Amino acid sequence: FPSHDSTPGCTNPDAENFDPAASCDDGSCLVCDAGEIVYTLDMFDSFGDGWNGATAVIFNLSTGTVEAAAELLDGSAGVSQFCLGTECYNVVIGGGTFDGEISWSLSNTEGFTFSGVANDPAGQIISPSGLEVGCTNPDANNYNPNAGCDDGSCLVCAANETVYTVNMVSIVTGK
């Protein structure tokens, strides 16, 4: 019988993840648009049974457009790669039945790394280009002139209103 030795991988020499050893294209090629680079999402599940319906969705913060999505169907670890630009993003991970088992790390080819766990109520605002995250509305009471990524925290009060900051303290007493 003839040998049909094939090595799966990306066979497109224009792709970011071209594999010269690959002899069989496996559909994994990433061809980024100008201004985009490759990001790697490392997905982890502490129980080892996948994310149980949870997903990772990365939204462009300024447009609300879904830029990437991934899920860990089974096992304790998985990887997803995709192309993103230098904009600000909201990373939302969760929605499964055992989200307490989920952790993740997002990195790019230029040294950016960010990690977290599932179900942060507001998601995770990231700025791969190093822009500060905060309120960008100059009319807001909590305007941050250094912020380049608006995180939705702006507070605009009417003329007769005041912004108050409340610090919560928990007091535990014994008998």
Side-chain angles (χ1 to χ4, degrees):
F1 293 99
S3 172
H4 294 289
D5 188 25
S6 64
T7 304
C10 175
T11 60
N12 180 348
D14 295 327
E16 306 291 332
N17 59 335
F18 169 65
D19 182 356
S23 59
C24 177
D25 196 293
D26 64 1
S28 67
C29 295
L30 288 171
V31 179
C32 296
D33 292 335
E36 292 183 332
I37 58 174
V38 174
Y39 283 75
T40 301
L41 176 65
D42 291 301
M43 303 172 283
F44 306 102
D45 181 86
S46 63
F47 193 74
D49 62 346
W51 281 6
N52 300 295
T55 57
V57 182
I58 300 175
F59 298 92
N60 182 306
L61 198 57
S62 63
T63 66
T65 306
V66 173
E67 299 289 339
E71 59 186 325
L72 179 61
L73 296 176
D74 60 18
S76 59
V79 174
S80 180
Q81 289 188 308
F82 39 85
C83 300
L84 292 175
T86 59
E87 296 86 4
C88 300
Y89 299 97
N90 187 6
V91 180
V92 179
I93 297 180
T97 53
F98 297 102
D99 288 350
E101 302 170 359
I102 295 173
S103 61
W104 56 272
S105 178
L106 180 67
S107 59
N108 69 24
T109 53
E110 294 184 357
F112 170 83
T113 301
F114 194 82
S115 59
V117 295
N119 285 329
D120 184 315
Q124 303 274 343
I125 308 297
I126 61 168
S127 172
S129 59
L131 296 173
E132 191 170 325
V133 177
C135 174
T136 61
N137 180 349
D139 296 327
N141 295 64
N142 61 331
Y143 169 62
N144 179 350
N146 298 318
C149 290
D150 195 298
D151 64 359
S153 68
C154 296
L155 299 170
V156 179
C157 296
N160 61 344
E161 295 177 330
T162 304
V163 174
Y164 291 97
T165 301
V166 177
N167 293 317
M168 304 298 286
V169 177
S170 177
I171 300 174
V172 178
T173 60
K175 291 186 178 189

